[in-house]
Amino acid sequence: QVRLVESGGGLVQAGGSLRLSCAASVRTFANYAMGWFRRAPGKEREFVAFISWDGGTTEYADSAKGRFTISRDNGKRTVWLQMNSLKPEDAAVYYCAAGPDDIGSVTPEDEYEYWGQGTQVTVSS
């Protein structure tokens, strides 16, 4: 069982930055690929970013490219999402998720086995 706990959300003005963290409670954290997803009010949860088990591969949703950066430290069992140049449309609950190290397609929710409880990001215009 993997427990994921997100933190770092909050209220920020448009153009500002936030750094989300996701701490995992499993010693074999390096066995898991990690993703960030978000759900805005009235919308379905959507993929934001992915990082492979060793950090060697990252992928981003088009909306995140050039503004967001995903990273991880397996020794600290933590994955981060650095979000810059935030826009009001980035407001959502952000979730981290853990999937197998040989994950196939990285965007579908079904590929991920474990989920955190989410952290709220609010962006004022």
Side-chain angles (χ1 to χ4, degrees), residues 15-71:
S17 299
L18 280 176
R19 189 191 196 203
L20 305 183
S21 299
C22 173
S25 65
V26 61
R27 281 185 289 180
T28 56
F29 180 65
N31 289 354
Y32 294 90
M34 300 296 297
W36 283 97
F37 289 73
R38 68 186 183 188
R39 178 183 283 139
K43 296 186 178 180
E44 294 187 353
R45 189 156 56 184
E46 64 176 4
F47 168 78
V48 176
F50 163 85
I51 189 165
S52 60
W53 67 273
D54 62 351
T57 300
T58 57
E59 294 190 27
Y60 297 91
D62 288 344
S63 59
K65 288 178 182 176
R67 300 188 300 126
F68 294 4
T69 302
I70 189 172
S71 60

Side-chain angles (χ1 to χ4, degrees), residues 2 4 6-7 9 15 21 60 66-67 70 74 79 83 109 113 119:
V2 178
L4 303 172
E6 301 97 335
S7 61
S21 299
Y60 297 91
R67 300 188 300 126
I70 189 172
N74 288 342
V79 62
M83 305 188 295
E109 293 185 37
E113 302 170 85
T119 185

